[in-house]
Amino acid sequence: MDAREMVSLSEAHKKFFQVGACLSNESIKRHDAIIKKHFNCAVAENAMKWGPIEPKEGIFTFAEADEIVKYSHDNQMALRAHAPIWHMMVPDDVFMDGGKPASREHLIERIDSHTKAFCEHFKGQFSSWDVVNEAINDFPGEDLRQSKWLELIGPDYIDIAYHIARQYAPDVQLFYNDYNEFVPYKRERMLKLVKGMLDRGVPLDGMGLQAHVNIVECNLDEYERTVEAFAALGLRIHITEMDVNPYSLRDRVFPPSSPITEEMHQKQEQLYRGIFDICRRYSDVVDAVLTWGVADDMTWLDREFCAGREHQPLLFDQNNNIKKWTEQIIEDAMRYNG
Ligand code: XIL
């Protein structure tokens, strides 16, 4: 066996932060060996979102999440919970009352009862939680994304969701999670949001930086600036959904005209190693780095971000072999003495 294969990603980063990935029922079967060897933290890709947990009001379906919870615990992995309050994967009925839109009070009551049931069921089973996900607008105009939550409750829906989460999950670290954190105007909006929350005494412990990065629009200087800015607020930081796209976001609807070139792979490697390096240097505030998927055979990018195109954005390849850049990341960690 290659000597570098001896040390896993999580072992190599033991003194810096946890390393993990999002899991689904399918991936824990397919990627069992990789997960067991390399990861010491996890998050459910979809199973803990509102729709999968409560598809109809008062009807709870915990089975998929339970399986992931058990798997994480059996394998001594810390578990993050992810994304009840999001603009996606929440059943339309949540926002309705008979044929009419639900009132502010009614929707807040629903957040309360969903959160209560979630926390009672998973009590003691997860240590951090992305309570609100992707609330910031990507486009010119308002800071907050248009969503049913915003429309029916108002901008304080975010604060309300965290107060409710704290009430039912007093021992869990509460995170706000968002993407395009390396784009300066988006970062400013994210900073403004969480600073405001902290000023208002909203119970927020950490910032989830998704790190859906790409080789065209992301660079390491901006990434470091982002980590630095959130660290300065006194928040814990998790890199929550890392993948490195060889295409720009603007390319998302276009089919690939050519396969991923060697040059693109090199840029992917630079971003991967560079972001891990930034996280090591900020390891006093960065507690976990997770990728969005275990291996390239199951990345969401190929499935739905731009279906039919191969993105190869993860740490393990289509055949579930470790990639060169992953071995480099392990070596970088072993050599690091900053
Ligand atoms: C994605 C999942 O990977 C898909 O399977 C699902 O269909 C949609 O959601 N940001 C997030 C994640 O916070 O929850 C998203 O996950 C990817 C983008």
Side-chain angles (χ1 to χ4, degrees):
M1 182 189 274
D2 186 326
R4 287 169 305 190
E5 277 274 56
M6 306 288 286
V7 177
S8 73
L9 271 167
S10 58
E11 279 161 9
H13 289 90
K14 215 175 180 117
K15 59 178 181 204
F16 305 113
F17 42 75
Q18 297 170 332
V19 184
C22 73
L23 305 181
S24 64
N25 299 51
E26 176 67 17
S27 76
I28 62 182
K29 288 191 203 86
R30 243 202 254 186
H31 301 141
D32 180 58
I34 300 175
I35 300 166
K36 283 186 172 141
K37 178 169 168 75
H38 287 281
F39 296 141
N40 58 0
C41 70
V43 61
E45 180 166 11
N46 289 310
M48 288 184 162
K49 291 169 181 170
W50 190 304
I53 288 286
E54 190 182 3
K56 275 197 154 62
E57 188 165 19
I59 309 287
F60 291 89
T61 46
F62 293 118
E64 179 173 2
D66 283 345
E67 197 184 327
I68 291 168
V69 168
K70 181 171 185 314
Y71 181 87
S72 309
H73 288 210
D74 288 350
N75 293 297
Q76 291 86 44
M77 296 192 286
L79 188 65
R80 315 186 75 253
H82 176 66
I85 310 298
W86 192 29
H87 61 281
M88 288 173 70
M89 297 182 73
V90 181
D92 293 342
D93 285 351
V94 169
F95 305 107
M96 298 299 289
D97 189 2
K100 301 192 314 290
S103 67
R104 168 180 161 94
E105 289 67 32
H106 200 158
L107 192 48
I108 293 171
E109 260 169 47
R110 283 182 173 147
I111 295 178
D112 191 286
S113 51
H114 179 86
T115 307
K116 181 165 185 277
F118 186 95
C119 293
E120 280 171 358
H121 185 83
F122 295 111
K123 192 172 168 35
Q125 311 283 311
F126 62 105
S127 45
S128 55
W129 194 6
D130 300 327
V131 176
V132 175
N133 195 34
E134 304 181 348
I136 296 291
N137 177 20
D138 280 297
F139 302 102
E142 300 297 318
D143 284 351
L144 291 184
R145 176 194 294 277
Q146 276 308 319
S147 72
K148 288 282 171 195
W149 303 112
L150 179 64
E151 184 187 321
L152 299 176
I153 297 180
D156 59 346
Y157 83 88
I158 299 173
D159 293 8
I160 292 169
Y162 283 86
H163 284 293
I164 293 173
R166 175 61 89 230
Q167 181 190 342
Y168 295 117
D171 303 325
V172 168
Q173 285 187 313
L174 305 181
F175 278 69
Y176 172 71
N177 192 49
D178 214 327
Y179 65 94
N180 275 356
E181 66 273 21
F182 49 88
V183 176
Y185 76 86
K186 178 94 183 257
R187 175 175 63 222
E188 289 312 313
R189 287 178 175 175
M190 289 163 63
L191 282 164
K192 191 169 148 198
L193 171 71
V194 299
K195 266 188 206 158
M197 291 167 72
L198 295 172
D199 289 346
R200 293 189 296 276
V202 174
L204 179 73
D205 304 297
M207 185 67 205
L209 304 174
Q210 290 189 5
H212 290 296
V213 297
N214 71 80
I215 63 169
V216 182
E217 281 139 318
C218 180
N219 68 66
L220 292 172
D221 288 343
E222 289 301 350
Y223 212 87
E224 178 154 2
R225 231 164 263 153
T226 300
V227 172
E228 196 175 16
F230 286 99
L233 300 183
L235 291 167
R236 307 309 302 167
I237 293 177
H238 287 180
I239 304 296
T240 52
E241 309 186 11
M242 186 169 183
D243 47 19
V244 181
N245 195 335
Y247 299 99
S248 88
L249 295 179
R250 279 184 268 281
D251 267 343
R252 64 185 293 172
V253 293
F254 302 111
S257 49
S258 54
I260 305 172
T261 63
E262 192 42 44
E263 192 194 342
M264 289 155 91
H265 277 306
Q266 277 171 15
K267 288 186 177 160
Q268 284 179 291
E269 169 169 339
Q270 278 164 13
L271 269 186
Y272 251 120
R273 290 174 70 184
I275 291 178
F276 267 84
D277 179 58
I278 292 167
C279 292
R280 275 180 224 115
R281 285 191 279 109
Y282 285 83
S283 63
D284 54 332
V285 286
V286 176
D287 295 326
V289 175
L290 294 92
T291 54
W292 205 243
V294 176
D296 288 345
D297 56 328
M298 281 186 67
T299 166
W300 74 299
L301 294 178
D302 293 4
R303 229 172 32 234
E304 50 192 273
F305 191 79
C306 184
R309 182 162 82 181
E310 269 195 29
H311 297 78
Q312 303 177 14
L314 294 167
L315 294 167
F316 296 84
D317 70 17
Q318 295 279 359
N319 301 318
N320 298 345
N321 292 317
I322 192 164
K323 292 189 187 175
K324 272 271 169 301
W325 68 50
T326 309
E327 294 179 335
Q328 290 295 340
I329 289 169
I330 293 172
E331 281 191 10
D332 292 345
M334 306 290 287
R335 267 204 308 266
Y336 182 87
N337 51 16

